[in-house]
Amino acid sequence: MTITQSLRIAAATFLFSAPLAHGENLDVLMSQVFPQAQATYIGYESVEREEIPASAPVERKYLIVDFRLASSQLPSEQLQASVHKVCMALLKDRELIRHLSDSGYDMVSVAFDRRSQFDCL
């Protein structure tokens, strides 16, 4: 990991540990989405898309919120419902969305394993 990557992670950690709407931060909000027996919140990662030029009019950063499901094989409908549940928890917190946008994030993705990501916004 480079110094730049370490600084980005530290900055993201600082930004998201600051109090958000209703005194919650991203970790607290995400850890409350599912019952413990259904899925476990692992954490989040800030990613910068290097393939987009810095001069481009779109943001280069996105956030991945990471969960692990209790069952490794979910039917497609149940997986879609889980993604929807996470996305709706994020979208309902307008202060969080405003904070993410102000911090330069233009997308949030949900991951339930190391292979797949599902975009929320």
Side-chain angles (χ1 to χ4, degrees):
M1 182 179 299
T2 67
I3 292 175
T4 303
Q5 289 172 322
S6 296
L7 289 174
R8 284 185 195 139
I9 291 170
T13 301
F14 174 75
L15 284 172
F16 293 110
S17 63
L20 298 172
H22 313 294
E24 297 176 354
N25 65 33
L26 183 61
D27 286 328
V28 172
L29 178 66
M30 292 292 97
S31 66
Q32 296 172 347
V33 172
F34 295 104
Q36 192 70 12
Q38 187 178 6
T40 302
Y41 171 66
I42 303 296
Y44 62 88
E45 181 180 355
S46 176
V47 178
E48 187 160 346
R49 296 173 287 189
E50 300 291 332
E51 71 277 5
I52 297 176
S55 60
V58 296
E59 297 294 342
R60 297 171 45 159
K61 293 191 308 185
Y62 72 99
L63 194 70
I64 301 171
V65 290
D66 195 15
F67 293 86
R68 290 299 175 266
L69 296 167
S71 173
S72 61
Q73 295 295 340
L74 282 182
S76 177
E77 306 82 34
Q78 202 171 6
L79 182 59
Q80 288 175 351
S82 296
V83 171
H84 179 75
K85 190 171 188 175
V86 173
C87 294
M88 290 310 297
L90 287 165
L91 288 171
K92 286 180 182 178
D93 192 331
R94 291 181 180 260
E95 187 65 28
L96 173 60
I97 296 300
R98 188 174 300 113
H99 182 74
L100 289 171
S101 181
D102 291 347
S103 299
Y105 291 93
D106 65 348
M107 186 172 64
V108 176
S109 294
V110 180
F112 291 104
D113 58 37
R114 295 178 185 259
R115 298 179 314 269
S116 305
Q117 296 176 13
F118 304 90
D119 296 342
C120 277
L121 50 120

